[in-house]
């Protein structure tokens, strides 16, 4: 496993973003863990988060893109901090763009988007926190493709939960790939998280012990992607 992935797993736990407690998801599933990207709130946390996204995107796509698109609302700061990280880490100037939930009808930046205007020929990377059902892509992809003649090269999320999506067999990221025809990826998968944290100290304590590992295994036996 790449070093930045190991660091990112520890970073999620340290930041109280990834918690291992029983949590009822929107789907009604009772999960032994949950992720809340809204817990990244400080400047240093956001800086590191952008760097981890940049490294994962660079691994997957190199520098072969023009725009980072973050769907409102959580995707907005993700796109901004990752664009900053690309400039700092790789000397690559990429633009950021996000959609608005409500169209702005006045001012120089009126319209459905904020940040850089999408242009014909732009190569776009979509960026989100986590994709459980792929529902956000149903709204976002048509908006992006309708704004200009762009190529969506891929979607990057922070954590692949590896659960079945709406179709009941594949995970949400694979469903998005099949439906929209672009690559999908994550900084880390839950399998990598479990592999790295199982019976290993993090912040001075064992995060995933035998009992929790058994609960996670049981959850994926029921809801894991085939």
């Amino acid at each position: 496993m790449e070093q930045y992935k190991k660091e990112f797993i520890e970073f999620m736990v340290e930041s109280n973003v990834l918690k291992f407690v029983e949590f009822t998801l929107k789907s009604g599933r009772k999960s032994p863990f949950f992720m809340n990207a809204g817990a990244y709130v400080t400047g240093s946390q956001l800086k590191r988060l952008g760097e981890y996204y940049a490294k994962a995107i660079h691994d997957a796509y190199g520098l072969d893109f023009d725009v980072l698109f973050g769907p409102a609302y959580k995707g907005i700061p993700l796109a901004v901090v990752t664009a900053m990280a690309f400039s700092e880490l790789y000397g690559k100037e990429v633009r950021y763009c996000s959609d608005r939930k409500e169209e702005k009808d006045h001012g120089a930046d009126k319209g459905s988007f904020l940040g850089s205007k999408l242009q014909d020929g732009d190569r776009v990377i979509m960026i989100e926190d986590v994709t459980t059902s792929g529902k956000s892509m149903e709204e976002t992809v048509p908006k992006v493709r309708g704004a200009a003649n762009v190529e969506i090269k891929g979607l990057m999320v922070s954590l692949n939960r590896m659960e079945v999506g709406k179709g009941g067999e594949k995970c949400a990221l694979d469903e998005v790939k099949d439906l929209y025809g672009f690559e999908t990826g994550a900084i880390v998968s839950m399998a990598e998280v479990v592999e790295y944290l199982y019976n290993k100290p993090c912040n001075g304590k064992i995060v995933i012990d035998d009992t929790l590992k058994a609960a996670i295994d049981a959850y994926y036996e029921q809801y894991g992607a085939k």
Side-chain angles (χ1 to χ4, degrees), residues 11 38 58 76 102 133 167 170 179 209:
F11 175 57
H58 185 263
I76 297 173
E102 301 85 20
S133 68
K170 296 181 178 181
L179 186 59
D209 57 15

Side-chain angles (χ1 to χ4, degrees), residues 7-54:
E7 292 175 3
F8 181 63
I9 292 169
E10 294 186 359
F11 175 57
M12 284 193 292
V13 175
E14 292 166 2
S15 302
N16 288 318
V17 167
L18 181 61
K19 293 187 176 183
F20 293 92
V21 294
E22 186 171 271
F23 184 78
T24 303
L25 305 174
K26 286 181 181 178
S27 61
R29 300 173 186 172
K30 292 188 181 299
S31 172
F33 62 90
F34 78 101
M35 179 190 168
N36 172 26
Y40 296 121
V41 292
T42 69
S44 61
Q45 286 176 331
L46 291 167
K47 181 177 185 294
R48 288 181 65 187
L49 181 61
E51 290 169 353
Y52 292 127
Y53 266 104

Side-chain angles (χ1 to χ4, degrees), residues 81-200:
V81 296
T82 305
M84 293 168 67
F86 261 95
S87 176
E88 185 172 317
L89 295 177
Y90 305 110
K92 165 78 171 178
E93 292 291 359
V94 297
R95 292 144 44 216
Y96 100 91
C97 181
S98 296
D99 60 331
R100 301 179 190 271
K101 291 291 188 181
E102 301 85 20
E103 184 159 339
K104 186 178 179 184
D105 60 2
H106 62 281
D109 61 342
K110 67 180 180 180
S112 302
F113 299 93
L114 53 87
S116 173
K117 184 177 180 181
L118 292 172
Q119 303 166 10
D120 289 349
D122 276 343
R123 299 160 301 174
V124 179
I125 302 290
M126 313 281 279
I127 185 168
E128 276 204 308
D129 56 347
V130 64
T131 297
T132 303
S133 68
K135 182 172 176 55
S136 62
M137 291 292 105
E138 293 179 9
E139 303 171 1
T140 306
V141 172
K143 274 187 182 180
V144 172
R145 287 178 169 165
N149 183 19
V150 303
E151 175 191 2
I152 300 178
K153 294 190 67 76
L155 165 68
M156 184 64 67
V157 302
S158 60
L159 177 68
N160 180 0
R161 286 186 60 104
M162 301 176 63
E163 299 173 38
V164 290
K166 292 187 297 184
E169 291 186 4
K170 296 181 178 181
C171 73
L173 286 178
D174 286 339
E175 288 184 346
V176 168
K177 178 180 177 179
D178 291 346
L179 186 59
Y180 299 109
F182 51 75
E183 294 298 317
T184 58
I187 302 175
V188 293
S189 67
M190 256 330 277
E192 290 172 319
V193 170
V194 174
E195 174 192 342
Y196 183 66
L197 290 179
Y198 179 45
N199 279 338
K200 177 183 181 298

